[in-house]
Amino acid sequence: MPVDEFRMPSLGADMEHGKVVEWLVKPGDYVHKGDLVAAVDTDKTVMDIESFQDGVLAEFLVDIGDTVDVGTPIARITATPAELPPAQPPLTSGAPSPDARSPLAAREPTPAHQGAEAGHPEPAVKAAPPVRHLAHTLGVDVGHITGSGPGGEVVRADVERAAADTLAAAATEEAAAEARRVRSSPLARRLAAELGVDLQDVSGTGPGGAVTEDDVLSAVPPRGRPPREQVAEAPPSEAPAREPAPEAAEEAPRQKRPTAAGGKAETLRQAVGALMSRSKKEIPHYYLSTTLDLAAAMAWMQAANQQRPVSSRLVPSALLLKATALAAKEVPDLNGFFTKGAFHPSSEVHLGVAVALRHGGLVAPALHDADTLSLDELRDLVSRAREGRLQRAEMADPTITVTNLGDLGVESVYGVIYPPQVAMVGFGKVLEQPFADNGMLGIRHAAIATLSADHRVSDGLRGGRFLARIDELLQEPDKL
């Protein structure tokens, strides 16, 4: 039977290694293609990664906390439960032992098997070769099946029934485990482990009661004297010689609290800094800017939001993202990768969106085929990125990146291109500005859009056309 290795995936063009911070499945679990199997920490964020195939997870090849290079095998997946490694060493007695690899091997032995262990020969199980082959394929031990055929012969229906019972039992166990599992983001789980917080004791305030990073931080004991049980468990050598001064007691927790998130933010900042330094050295940037007329877009959005519940209302960034994706589709010189000394345009628009994380730093998830997504789908992905609930496919291969700092009050931003991409678009704060039209003064909503582009691939003519097309698309927001 085929045995495949599940390897550390590449979660970005510049990713070289990753650290497994949590396994979301256990050996013996059947996983389908697309099921989440592990949480991986890169230099930028923690992401859940999914299986690329169907099969049974046979064993882990790396431990939690191990950092390995991209492409390194981290788990082994087999086609059926029958290929799992033995759960226990074989019996040393001369009696034939039950197949420890079979999910049914844990059952109590029948009287016939007890007789075999006492030294009496075990009667042979009657089953045709095709039936035995089917049993092996499904991971079923025919020795534990009561046959319904002539003379107690095991037939195909018996094997299929036993396999169905095994899968039903596994599904029940999985459902029970899922019920006990606390809903939380990978970031919240990692932070809880570092701070010694039991997620079972934390009340979640996130969607559907999920535990968030803020919930974990709120569950940490208040500053000052630690809980009594922690004092009792502390080794005598760690006990202070005298009571610390009030100033020291106040300062110590303040320095320790941001360690978990602060350390990650510092690592992220170093990784981003190294990449941006490379970008400025290798890419000849040119910059353009224009003021977008958002009067029509804001009026349409406000009217649409009156028909929506508060939780699903649109924001200006959703319209800006969709207009950018459509413009990139029409101006392909700004959408693609510069690798091996040549530009390779992309036929698809995977829009990278620079999102500020709660613990600090930035991450750029990719909105695949963004020109075909609805405004609601664009809004949802940005929300999940901020909560640390991204999947591998949502971080891979953005073809052009957008950064929007308008929420922070920034009026214009000139970004640094994210290699191997060839363009970065920036949006500033939406403001009410005075304007003149046919000799009349008025007020309109507007925002500054900027473009940082690679002069090896495009020039001011193409860049100017790209920004102008974004502005044109925003004049017909109902078509976005």
Side-chain angles (χ1 to χ4, degrees), residues 112 115-116 175 179 196 201 212 238 285 303 345 348 359 366 386:
D201 300 331
T212 66
E238 296 181 4
H285 288 59
E348 301 169 328
H359 65 273
R386 289 198 173 102

Side-chain angles (χ1 to χ4, degrees), residues 51-298:
S51 173
F52 300 101
Q53 65 192 82
D54 297 339
V56 177
L57 194 143
E59 60 179 330
F60 300 139
L61 301 180
V62 300
D63 294 327
I64 291 179
D66 287 352
T67 299
V68 297
D69 294 336
V70 170
T72 301
I74 61 176
R76 191 166 63 87
I77 294 179
T78 63
T80 71
E83 298 172 280
L84 295 178
Q88 60 185 15
L91 300 176
T92 57
S93 65
S97 61
D99 187 357
R101 298 171 299 173
S102 170
L104 300 179
R107 293 185 177 179
E108 292 295 327
T110 62
H113 293 106
Q114 292 173 354
E117 293 174 0
H120 302 289
E122 180 180 354
V125 177
K126 296 177 61 177
V131 175
R132 290 181 181 274
H133 177 72
L134 175 63
H136 177 72
T137 302
L138 297 179
V140 176
D141 184 0
V142 293
H144 292 84
I145 301 177
T146 301
S148 61
E153 180 181 358
V154 177
V155 297
R156 182 183 184 91
D158 300 328
V159 173
E160 293 175 343
R161 189 181 308 111
D165 292 343
T166 302
L167 292 177
T172 301
E173 180 181 351
E174 181 179 353
E178 183 65 24
R180 294 190 300 267
R181 181 182 177 87
V182 178
R183 294 187 60 190
S184 59
S185 67
L187 177 59
R189 295 193 293 271
R190 181 168 62 87
L191 188 59
E194 294 176 352
L195 297 179
V197 175
D198 188 352
L199 291 178
Q200 296 284 351
D201 300 331
V202 180
S203 298
T205 61
V211 176
T212 66
E213 178 190 3
D214 293 336
D215 297 331
V216 174
L217 293 176
S218 300
V220 176
R223 294 181 300 179
R225 193 179 186 90
R228 182 175 303 173
E229 59 270 20
Q230 293 184 10
V231 175
E233 294 173 0
S237 60
E238 296 181 4
R242 63 179 184 275
E243 189 73 13
E247 295 81 0
E250 286 291 317
E251 186 65 23
R254 187 178 300 121
Q255 294 175 350
K256 187 175 182 180
R257 173 64 63 84
T259 299
K264 177 63 180 177
E266 183 63 26
T267 302
L268 172 61
R269 192 170 294 109
Q270 292 174 358
V272 172
L275 187 63
M276 295 300 98
S277 176
R278 167 192 159 195
S279 173
K280 293 295 289 185
K281 289 179 180 178
E282 297 180 359
I283 301 177
H285 288 59
Y286 72 89
Y287 304 93
L288 301 174
S289 71
T290 189
T291 299
L292 302 175
D293 182 357
L294 299 181
M298 293 297 292

Side-chain angles (χ1 to χ4, degrees), residues 289-320:
S289 71
T290 189
T291 299
L292 302 175
D293 182 357
L294 299 181
M298 293 297 292
W300 177 86
M301 186 188 72
Q302 292 170 1
N305 282 341
Q306 292 180 357
Q307 311 298 324
R308 292 169 167 257
V310 175
S311 60
S312 62
R313 288 182 177 175
L314 297 173
V315 292
S317 59
L319 280 71
L320 295 173

Side-chain angles (χ1 to χ4, degrees), residues 362-382:
L362 295 172
V363 66
L367 290 74
H368 281 210
D369 301 311
D371 55 312
T372 66
L373 297 179
S374 67
L375 296 176
D376 288 308
E377 290 172 321
L378 296 176
R379 179 178 55 83
D380 174 68
L381 189 138
V382 174

